[in-house]
Amino acid sequence: MEKTAFNKKQVIKYLVFTFGIAYAIQIIVWLLYSNRQQAIGQLVMAVMMFVPMLGTLFSGHKLKGMGWKPHIKGNVKSILMAWFSPMILTAVGTGLYFAVFPSHFDLSGNYIIEVAGEEALQQMEEQGLSYPVLVLLSCVNCITYAPIINMLFAVGEETGWRGFLYPQLKARFGKRLGWIIGGIIWGLWHCPLIWLIGYEYGTDYIGFPVTGMILFCIITVVLGIICDWLYERSQCIWVPSIFHGAFNAAATIPLCITVANTGSMRLLGSVPNGFLAGLPFVVTSIS
């Protein structure tokens, strides 16, 4: 990839389009959730992941040269890290959380009841599938096909953040400050959802929604550093997309084994966007 020259006009156009469209979509998601259309709302959120890619095109920047051709030879280590490290780091962070809060561990299936109702758990048991086995299968999915499926959506974000914005910010502010600014921007992009539907942390915690927004921006700084490092190392946009997709797949599993309604403790974990459970990702980004 060629060395990037900072283009202020393109960056402004990108940010205006990407934030404007995404915030409008997030209001639509809120309306859907308010009318108990969560499934459709989640689908809309998945489509929203392509807004950064569209924002890149709107800015006038070309997608060519971002490393679209898969480079497997020479990138095996990067691909393996992108594929498996989210699950490993999530498991370590979740284990750390339960070591501090052992009473929050729960394999009874209350999570399924909370999300889909008691009938969903009964139907699953009638089919001979126990809840622990379901959790185990979910873990297997996270290290087999889920990273690839999720990658097809994550590449929409990675094109905009790592493919366009991060190189621009690093060209203007240097690598470290560029990473921090880029991560904060990435986090702020999600903030309406944190406020409107309790995205990632729920609504029952201290300082809602501001503390959730601040913590999420810290996590996106951390994840952005790892994704951009993988992108620089591999020179292929698909590699950070695999990591992004694998993280999205692994991040929800801890909820399945955690008691419902942990209140402000949700800011600590058990999912990796919590401060305590996210520590393995923080350490990885620093090292």
Side-chain angles (χ1 to χ4, degrees), residues 125-156:
E125 292 174 344
E126 288 173 358
Q127 295 173 358
L129 184 64
S130 67
Y131 191 72
V133 171
L134 176 65
V135 174
L136 179 61
L137 290 176
S138 298
C139 293
V140 172
N141 293 343
C142 284
I143 57 175
T144 52
Y145 65 86
I148 290 296
I149 293 177
N150 288 353
M151 173 195 73
L152 300 177
F153 292 91
V155 73

PDB file of all heavy atoms in Angstrom, residues 125-156:
ATOM      1  N   GLU A 125     -34.895 -28.127  25.007  1.00  0.00           N
ATOM      2  CA  GLU A 125     -34.767 -29.329  25.831  1.00  0.00           C
ATOM      3  C   GLU A 125     -35.571 -30.486  25.256  1.00  0.00           C
ATOM      4  O   GLU A 125     -35.167 -31.652  25.361  1.00  0.00           O
ATOM      5  CB  GLU A 125     -35.215 -29.015  27.268  1.00  0.00           C
ATOM      6  CG  GLU A 125     -34.273 -28.050  27.988  1.00  0.00           C
ATOM      7  CD  GLU A 125     -34.792 -27.632  29.349  1.00  0.00           C
ATOM      8  OE1 GLU A 125     -36.008 -27.846  29.607  1.00  0.00           O
ATOM      9  OE2 GLU A 125     -34.006 -27.084  30.139  1.00  0.00           O
ATOM     10  N   GLU A 126     -36.708 -30.179  24.642  1.00  0.00           N
ATOM     11  CA  GLU A 126     -37.523 -31.222  24.003  1.00  0.00           C
ATOM     12  C   GLU A 126     -36.795 -31.869  22.829  1.00  0.00           C
ATOM     13  O   GLU A 126     -37.040 -33.030  22.487  1.00  0.00           O
ATOM     14  CB  GLU A 126     -38.848 -30.628  23.521  1.00  0.00           C
ATOM     15  CG  GLU A 126     -39.808 -30.289  24.667  1.00  0.00           C
ATOM     16  CD  GLU A 126     -41.045 -29.560  24.191  1.00  0.00           C
ATOM     17  OE1 GLU A 126     -41.133 -29.294  22.965  1.00  0.00           O
ATOM     18  OE2 GLU A 126     -41.924 -29.240  25.024  1.00  0.00           O
ATOM     19  N   GLN A 127     -35.898 -31.121  22.219  1.00  0.00           N
ATOM     20  CA  GLN A 127     -35.105 -31.642  21.109  1.00  0.00           C
ATOM     21  C   GLN A 127     -33.866 -32.391  21.583  1.00  0.00           C
ATOM     22  O   GLN A 127     -33.051 -32.842  20.778  1.00  0.00           O
ATOM     23  CB  GLN A 127     -34.690 -30.493  20.187  1.00  0.00           C
ATOM     24  CG  GLN A 127     -35.875 -29.822  19.491  1.00  0.00           C
ATOM     25  CD  GLN A 127     -35.466 -28.586  18.713  1.00  0.00           C
ATOM     26  OE1 GLN A 127     -34.302 -28.200  18.708  1.00  0.00           O
ATOM     27  NE2 GLN A 127     -36.422 -27.963  18.040  1.00  0.00           N
ATOM     28  N   GLY A 128     -33.748 -32.521  22.901  1.00  0.00           N
ATOM     29  CA  GLY A 128     -32.631 -33.272  23.461  1.00  0.00           C
ATOM     30  C   GLY A 128     -31.347 -32.475  23.572  1.00  0.00           C
ATOM     31  O   GLY A 128     -30.262 -33.063  23.726  1.00  0.00           O
ATOM     32  N   LEU A 129     -31.459 -31.161  23.504  1.00  0.00           N
ATOM     33  CA  LEU A 129     -30.274 -30.298  23.569  1.00  0.00           C
ATOM     34  C   LEU A 129     -30.253 -29.576  24.909  1.00  0.00           C
ATOM     35  O   LEU A 129     -31.114 -28.740  25.190  1.00  0.00           O
ATOM     36  CB  LEU A 129     -30.314 -29.285  22.424  1.00  0.00           C
ATOM     37  CG  LEU A 129     -29.106 -28.355  22.272  1.00  0.00           C
ATOM     38  CD1 LEU A 129     -27.851 -29.169  21.931  1.00  0.00           C
ATOM     39  CD2 LEU A 129     -29.360 -27.321  21.176  1.00  0.00           C
ATOM     40  N   SER A 130     -29.285 -29.911  25.743  1.00  0.00           N
ATOM     41  CA  SER A 130     -29.172 -29.261  27.044  1.00  0.00           C
ATOM     42  C   SER A 130     -28.526 -27.884  26.879  1.00  0.00           C
ATOM     43  O   SER A 130     -27.833 -27.620  25.895  1.00  0.00           O
ATOM     44  CB  SER A 130     -28.338 -30.109  28.013  1.00  0.00           C
ATOM     45  OG  SER A 130     -26.983 -30.163  27.586  1.00  0.00           O
ATOM     46  N   TYR A 131     -28.735 -27.029  27.866  1.00  0.00           N
ATOM     47  CA  TYR A 131     -28.198 -25.669  27.767  1.00  0.00           C
ATOM     48  C   TYR A 131     -26.664 -25.642  27.751  1.00  0.00           C
ATOM     49  O   TYR A 131     -26.071 -24.923  26.939  1.00  0.00           O
ATOM     50  CB  TYR A 131     -28.731 -24.801  28.908  1.00  0.00           C
ATOM     51  CG  TYR A 131     -28.429 -23.337  28.712  1.00  0.00           C
ATOM     52  CD1 TYR A 131     -29.101 -22.588  27.751  1.00  0.00           C
ATOM     53  CD2 TYR A 131     -27.459 -22.697  29.473  1.00  0.00           C
ATOM     54  CE1 TYR A 131     -28.817 -21.248  27.553  1.00  0.00           C
ATOM     55  CE2 TYR A 131     -27.175 -21.359  29.283  1.00  0.00           C
ATOM     56  CZ  TYR A 131     -27.847 -20.640  28.322  1.00  0.00           C
ATOM     57  OH  TYR A 131     -27.554 -19.316  28.126  1.00  0.00           O
ATOM     58  N   PRO A 132     -25.982 -26.412  28.599  1.00  0.00           N
ATOM     59  CA  PRO A 132     -24.517 -26.436  28.534  1.00  0.00           C
ATOM     60  C   PRO A 132     -24.003 -26.867  27.163  1.00  0.00           C
ATOM     61  O   PRO A 132     -22.991 -26.336  26.682  1.00  0.00           O
ATOM     62  CB  PRO A 132     -24.124 -27.451  29.616  1.00  0.00           C
ATOM     63  CG  PRO A 132     -25.246 -27.372  30.603  1.00  0.00           C
ATOM     64  CD  PRO A 132     -26.478 -27.189  29.760  1.00  0.00           C
ATOM     65  N   VAL A 133     -24.681 -27.824  26.535  1.00  0.00           N
ATOM     66  CA  VAL A 133     -24.271 -28.260  25.198  1.00  0.00           C
ATOM     67  C   VAL A 133     -24.459 -27.133  24.187  1.00  0.00           C
ATOM     68  O   VAL A 133     -23.624 -26.925  23.298  1.00  0.00           O
ATOM     69  CB  VAL A 133     -25.058 -29.513  24.762  1.00  0.00           C
ATOM     70  CG1 VAL A 133     -24.795 -29.830  23.291  1.00  0.00           C
ATOM     71  CG2 VAL A 133     -24.678 -30.703  25.629  1.00  0.00           C
ATOM     72  N   LEU A 134     -25.538 -26.371  24.328  1.00  0.00           N
ATOM     73  CA  LEU A 134     -25.772 -25.229  23.442  1.00  0.00           C
ATOM     74  C   LEU A 134     -24.651 -24.210  23.559  1.00  0.00           C
ATOM     75  O   LEU A 134     -24.165 -23.684  22.549  1.00  0.00           O
ATOM     76  CB  LEU A 134     -27.112 -24.581  23.784  1.00  0.00           C
ATOM     77  CG  LEU A 134     -27.461 -23.306  22.990  1.00  0.00           C
ATOM     78  CD1 LEU A 134     -27.649 -23.626  21.521  1.00  0.00           C
ATOM     79  CD2 LEU A 134     -28.706 -22.632  23.559  1.00  0.00           C
ATOM     80  N   VAL A 135     -24.231 -23.935  24.783  1.00  0.00           N
ATOM     81  CA  VAL A 135     -23.127 -22.992  24.999  1.00  0.00           C
ATOM     82  C   VAL A 135     -21.843 -23.525  24.372  1.00  0.00           C
ATOM     83  O   VAL A 135     -21.092 -22.785  23.723  1.00  0.00           O
ATOM     84  CB  VAL A 135     -22.912 -22.734  26.508  1.00  0.00           C
ATOM     85  CG1 VAL A 135     -21.671 -21.876  26.739  1.00  0.00           C
ATOM     86  CG2 VAL A 135     -24.138 -22.062  27.107  1.00  0.00           C
ATOM     87  N   LEU A 136     -21.602 -24.829  24.545  1.00  0.00           N
ATOM     88  CA  LEU A 136     -20.414 -25.446  23.961  1.00  0.00           C
ATOM     89  C   LEU A 136     -20.434 -25.350  22.437  1.00  0.00           C
ATOM     90  O   LEU A 136     -19.410 -25.032  21.811  1.00  0.00           O
ATOM     91  CB  LEU A 136     -20.321 -26.911  24.399  1.00  0.00           C
ATOM     92  CG  LEU A 136     -19.133 -27.706  23.834  1.00  0.00           C
ATOM     93  CD1 LEU A 136     -17.817 -27.081  24.275  1.00  0.00           C
ATOM     94  CD2 LEU A 136     -19.212 -29.165  24.273  1.00  0.00           C
ATOM     95  N   LEU A 137     -21.588 -25.611  21.835  1.00  0.00           N
ATOM     96  CA  LEU A 137     -21.709 -25.508  20.381  1.00  0.00           C
ATOM     97  C   LEU A 137     -21.471 -24.073  19.910  1.00  0.00           C
ATOM     98  O   LEU A 137     -20.869 -23.854  18.849  1.00  0.00           O
ATOM     99  CB  LEU A 137     -23.097 -25.982  19.937  1.00  0.00           C
ATOM    100  CG  LEU A 137     -23.377 -27.483  20.057  1.00  0.00           C
ATOM    101  CD1 LEU A 137     -24.824 -27.785  19.681  1.00  0.00           C
ATOM    102  CD2 LEU A 137     -22.429 -28.276  19.154  1.00  0.00           C
ATOM    103  N   SER A 138     -21.916 -23.111  20.697  1.00  0.00           N
ATOM    104  CA  SER A 138     -21.692 -21.708  20.352  1.00  0.00           C
ATOM    105  C   SER A 138     -20.199 -21.390  20.354  1.00  0.00           C
ATOM    106  O   SER A 138     -19.714 -20.648  19.489  1.00  0.00           O
ATOM    107  CB  SER A 138     -22.418 -20.789  21.349  1.00  0.00           C
ATOM    108  OG  SER A 138     -23.813 -20.993  21.295  1.00  0.00           O
ATOM    109  N   CYS A 139     -19.471 -21.972  21.295  1.00  0.00           N
ATOM    110  CA  CYS A 139     -18.022 -21.774  21.347  1.00  0.00           C
ATOM    111  C   CYS A 139     -17.341 -22.394  20.130  1.00  0.00           C
ATOM    112  O   CYS A 139     -16.407 -21.808  19.558  1.00  0.00           O
ATOM    113  CB  CYS A 139     -17.456 -22.390  22.632  1.00  0.00           C
ATOM    114  SG  CYS A 139     -17.975 -21.546  24.146  1.00  0.00           S
ATOM    115  N   VAL A 140     -17.816 -23.570  19.735  1.00  0.00           N
ATOM    116  CA  VAL A 140     -17.266 -24.230  18.547  1.00  0.00           C
ATOM    117  C   VAL A 140     -17.519 -23.384  17.309  1.00  0.00           C
ATOM    118  O   VAL A 140     -16.649 -23.230  16.441  1.00  0.00           O
ATOM    119  CB  VAL A 140     -17.872 -25.634  18.379  1.00  0.00           C
ATOM    120  CG1 VAL A 140     -17.444 -26.247  17.042  1.00  0.00           C
ATOM    121  CG2 VAL A 140     -17.465 -26.534  19.538  1.00  0.00           C
ATOM    122  N   ASN A 141     -18.721 -22.822  17.217  1.00  0.00           N
ATOM    123  CA  ASN A 141     -19.051 -21.966  16.078  1.00  0.00           C
ATOM    124  C   ASN A 141     -18.094 -20.784  15.979  1.00  0.00           C
ATOM    125  O   ASN A 141     -17.726 -20.346  14.877  1.00  0.00           O
ATOM    126  CB  ASN A 141     -20.483 -21.442  16.197  1.00  0.00           C
ATOM    127  CG  ASN A 141     -21.525 -22.538  16.075  1.00  0.00           C
ATOM    128  OD1 ASN A 141     -21.233 -23.631  15.593  1.00  0.00           O
ATOM    129  ND2 ASN A 141     -22.728 -22.273  16.549  1.00  0.00           N
ATOM    130  N   CYS A 142     -17.694 -20.258  17.128  1.00  0.00           N
ATOM    131  CA  CYS A 142     -16.832 -19.072  17.161  1.00  0.00           C
ATOM    132  C   CYS A 142     -15.436 -19.328  16.616  1.00  0.00           C
ATOM    133  O   CYS A 142     -14.735 -18.380  16.233  1.00  0.00           O
ATOM    134  CB  CYS A 142     -16.720 -18.541  18.586  1.00  0.00           C
ATOM    135  SG  CYS A 142     -18.176 -17.646  19.126  1.00  0.00           S
ATOM    136  N   ILE A 143     -15.014 -20.576  16.616  1.00  0.00           N
ATOM    137  CA  ILE A 143     -13.678 -20.875  16.111  1.00  0.00           C
ATOM    138  C   ILE A 143     -13.732 -21.679  14.810  1.00  0.00           C
ATOM    139  O   ILE A 143     -12.697 -22.175  14.352  1.00  0.00           O
ATOM    140  CB  ILE A 143     -12.848 -21.633  17.170  1.00  0.00           C
ATOM    141  CG1 ILE A 143     -13.546 -22.918  17.607  1.00  0.00           C
ATOM    142  CG2 ILE A 143     -12.564 -20.731  18.351  1.00  0.00           C
ATOM    143  CD1 ILE A 143     -12.723 -23.770  18.556  1.00  0.00           C
ATOM    144  N   THR A 144     -14.931 -21.801  14.231  1.00  0.00           N
ATOM    145  CA  THR A 144     -15.041 -22.495  12.941  1.00  0.00           C
ATOM    146  C   THR A 144     -15.547 -21.544  11.859  1.00  0.00           C
ATOM    147  O   THR A 144     -14.762 -20.861  11.214  1.00  0.00           O
ATOM    148  CB  THR A 144     -15.941 -23.735  13.069  1.00  0.00           C
ATOM    149  OG1 THR A 144     -17.206 -23.357  13.668  1.00  0.00           O
ATOM    150  CG2 THR A 144     -15.277 -24.811  13.929  1.00  0.00           C
ATOM    151  N   TYR A 145     -16.848 -21.469  11.680  1.00  0.00           N
ATOM    152  CA  TYR A 145     -17.369 -20.698  10.549  1.00  0.00           C
ATOM    153  C   TYR A 145     -17.789 -19.265  10.878  1.00  0.00           C
ATOM    154  O   TYR A 145     -17.843 -18.412   9.986  1.00  0.00           O
ATOM    155  CB  TYR A 145     -18.569 -21.431   9.928  1.00  0.00           C
ATOM    156  CG  TYR A 145     -19.769 -21.543  10.821  1.00  0.00           C
ATOM    157  CD1 TYR A 145     -20.711 -20.518  10.892  1.00  0.00           C
ATOM    158  CD2 TYR A 145     -19.981 -22.677  11.613  1.00  0.00           C
ATOM    159  CE1 TYR A 145     -21.827 -20.617  11.712  1.00  0.00           C
ATOM    160  CE2 TYR A 145     -21.092 -22.782  12.432  1.00  0.00           C
ATOM    161  CZ  TYR A 145     -22.009 -21.751  12.479  1.00  0.00           C
ATOM    162  OH  TYR A 145     -23.107 -21.848  13.300  1.00  0.00           O
ATOM    163  N   ALA A 146     -18.075 -18.966  12.152  1.00  0.00           N
ATOM    164  CA  ALA A 146     -18.589 -17.640  12.513  1.00  0.00           C
ATOM    165  C   ALA A 146     -17.664 -16.483  12.115  1.00  0.00           C
ATOM    166  O   ALA A 146     -18.145 -15.455  11.636  1.00  0.00           O
ATOM    167  CB  ALA A 146     -18.904 -17.587  14.007  1.00  0.00           C
ATOM    168  N   PRO A 147     -16.332 -16.609  12.301  1.00  0.00           N
ATOM    169  CA  PRO A 147     -15.471 -15.496  11.899  1.00  0.00           C
ATOM    170  C   PRO A 147     -15.588 -15.142  10.416  1.00  0.00           C
ATOM    171  O   PRO A 147     -15.541 -13.960  10.057  1.00  0.00           O
ATOM    172  CB  PRO A 147     -14.061 -16.009  12.231  1.00  0.00           C
ATOM    173  CG  PRO A 147     -14.278 -16.965  13.360  1.00  0.00           C
ATOM    174  CD  PRO A 147     -15.574 -17.655  13.030  1.00  0.00           C
ATOM    175  N   ILE A 148     -15.775 -16.148   9.560  1.00  0.00           N
ATOM    176  CA  ILE A 148     -15.885 -15.885   8.126  1.00  0.00           C
ATOM    177  C   ILE A 148     -17.223 -15.244   7.783  1.00  0.00           C
ATOM    178  O   ILE A 148     -17.285 -14.272   7.015  1.00  0.00           O
ATOM    179  CB  ILE A 148     -15.700 -17.193   7.326  1.00  0.00           C
ATOM    180  CG1 ILE A 148     -14.250 -17.656   7.420  1.00  0.00           C
ATOM    181  CG2 ILE A 148     -16.081 -16.985   5.865  1.00  0.00           C
ATOM    182  CD1 ILE A 148     -13.246 -16.709   6.803  1.00  0.00           C
ATOM    183  N   ILE A 149     -18.307 -15.763   8.351  1.00  0.00           N
ATOM    184  CA  ILE A 149     -19.626 -15.182   8.085  1.00  0.00           C
ATOM    185  C   ILE A 149     -19.679 -13.733   8.571  1.00  0.00           C
ATOM    186  O   ILE A 149     -20.103 -12.829   7.853  1.00  0.00           O
ATOM    187  CB  ILE A 149     -20.729 -16.020   8.755  1.00  0.00           C
ATOM    188  CG1 ILE A 149     -20.818 -17.395   8.085  1.00  0.00           C
ATOM    189  CG2 ILE A 149     -22.080 -15.300   8.669  1.00  0.00           C
ATOM    190  CD1 ILE A 149     -21.834 -18.321   8.720  1.00  0.00           C
ATOM    191  N   ASN A 150     -19.214 -13.505   9.797  1.00  0.00           N
ATOM    192  CA  ASN A 150     -19.230 -12.152  10.342  1.00  0.00           C
ATOM    193  C   ASN A 150     -18.264 -11.220   9.606  1.00  0.00           C
ATOM    194  O   ASN A 150     -18.474 -10.015   9.559  1.00  0.00           O
ATOM    195  CB  ASN A 150     -18.880 -12.181  11.831  1.00  0.00           C
ATOM    196  CG  ASN A 150     -19.992 -12.769  12.677  1.00  0.00           C
ATOM    197  OD1 ASN A 150     -21.081 -13.046  12.189  1.00  0.00           O
ATOM    198  ND2 ASN A 150     -19.722 -12.983  13.949  1.00  0.00           N
ATOM    199  N   MET A 151     -17.208 -11.793   9.060  1.00  0.00           N
ATOM    200  CA  MET A 151     -16.235 -11.013   8.299  1.00  0.00           C
ATOM    201  C   MET A 151     -16.888 -10.299   7.120  1.00  0.00           C
ATOM    202  O   MET A 151     -16.518  -9.165   6.768  1.00  0.00           O
ATOM    203  CB  MET A 151     -15.122 -11.932   7.785  1.00  0.00           C
ATOM    204  CG  MET A 151     -14.120 -11.284   6.842  1.00  0.00           C
ATOM    205  SD  MET A 151     -13.135 -12.504   5.949  1.00  0.00           S
ATOM    206  CE  MET A 151     -14.362 -13.126   4.768  1.00  0.00           C
ATOM    207  N   LEU A 152     -17.873 -10.927   6.512  1.00  0.00           N
ATOM    208  CA  LEU A 152     -18.529 -10.358   5.330  1.00  0.00           C
ATOM    209  C   LEU A 152     -19.286  -9.074   5.672  1.00  0.00           C
ATOM    210  O   LEU A 152     -19.518  -8.243   4.793  1.00  0.00           O
ATOM    211  CB  LEU A 152     -19.481 -11.400   4.724  1.00  0.00           C
ATOM    212  CG  LEU A 152     -18.823 -12.704   4.267  1.00  0.00           C
ATOM    213  CD1 LEU A 152     -19.876 -13.682   3.746  1.00  0.00           C
ATOM    214  CD2 LEU A 152     -17.783 -12.429   3.185  1.00  0.00           C
ATOM    215  N   PHE A 153     -19.669  -8.918   6.939  1.00  0.00           N
ATOM    216  CA  PHE A 153     -20.287  -7.674   7.399  1.00  0.00           C
ATOM    217  C   PHE A 153     -19.225  -6.726   7.963  1.00  0.00           C
ATOM    218  O   PHE A 153     -19.260  -5.524   7.719  1.00  0.00           O
ATOM    219  CB  PHE A 153     -21.347  -7.970   8.465  1.00  0.00           C
ATOM    220  CG  PHE A 153     -22.555  -8.690   7.940  1.00  0.00           C
ATOM    221  CD1 PHE A 153     -22.621 -10.077   7.945  1.00  0.00           C
ATOM    222  CD2 PHE A 153     -23.630  -7.976   7.424  1.00  0.00           C
ATOM    223  CE1 PHE A 153     -23.734 -10.746   7.447  1.00  0.00           C
ATOM    224  CE2 PHE A 153     -24.753  -8.628   6.939  1.00  0.00           C
ATOM    225  CZ  PHE A 153     -24.807 -10.013   6.944  1.00  0.00           C
ATOM    226  N   ALA A 154     -18.280  -7.299   8.705  1.00  0.00           N
ATOM    227  CA  ALA A 154     -17.253  -6.477   9.350  1.00  0.00           C
ATOM    228  C   ALA A 154     -16.394  -5.731   8.343  1.00  0.00           C
ATOM    229  O   ALA A 154     -15.891  -4.639   8.636  1.00  0.00           O
ATOM    230  CB  ALA A 154     -16.374  -7.351  10.240  1.00  0.00           C
ATOM    231  N   VAL A 155     -16.229  -6.285   7.156  1.00  0.00           N
ATOM    232  CA  VAL A 155     -15.394  -5.622   6.153  1.00  0.00           C
ATOM    233  C   VAL A 155     -15.975  -4.263   5.759  1.00  0.00           C
ATOM    234  O   VAL A 155     -15.242  -3.363   5.334  1.00  0.00           O
ATOM    235  CB  VAL A 155     -15.214  -6.521   4.897  1.00  0.00           C
ATOM    236  CG1 VAL A 155     -16.502  -6.590   4.073  1.00  0.00           C
ATOM    237  CG2 VAL A 155     -14.053  -6.034   4.046  1.00  0.00           C
ATOM    238  N   GLY A 156     -17.288  -4.098   5.930  1.00  0.00           N
ATOM    239  CA  GLY A 156     -17.896  -2.795   5.654  1.00  0.00           C
ATOM    240  C   GLY A 156     -17.354  -1.727   6.578  1.00  0.00           C
ATOM    241  O   GLY A 156     -17.085  -0.591   6.158  1.00  0.00           O
TER     242      GLY A 156
END
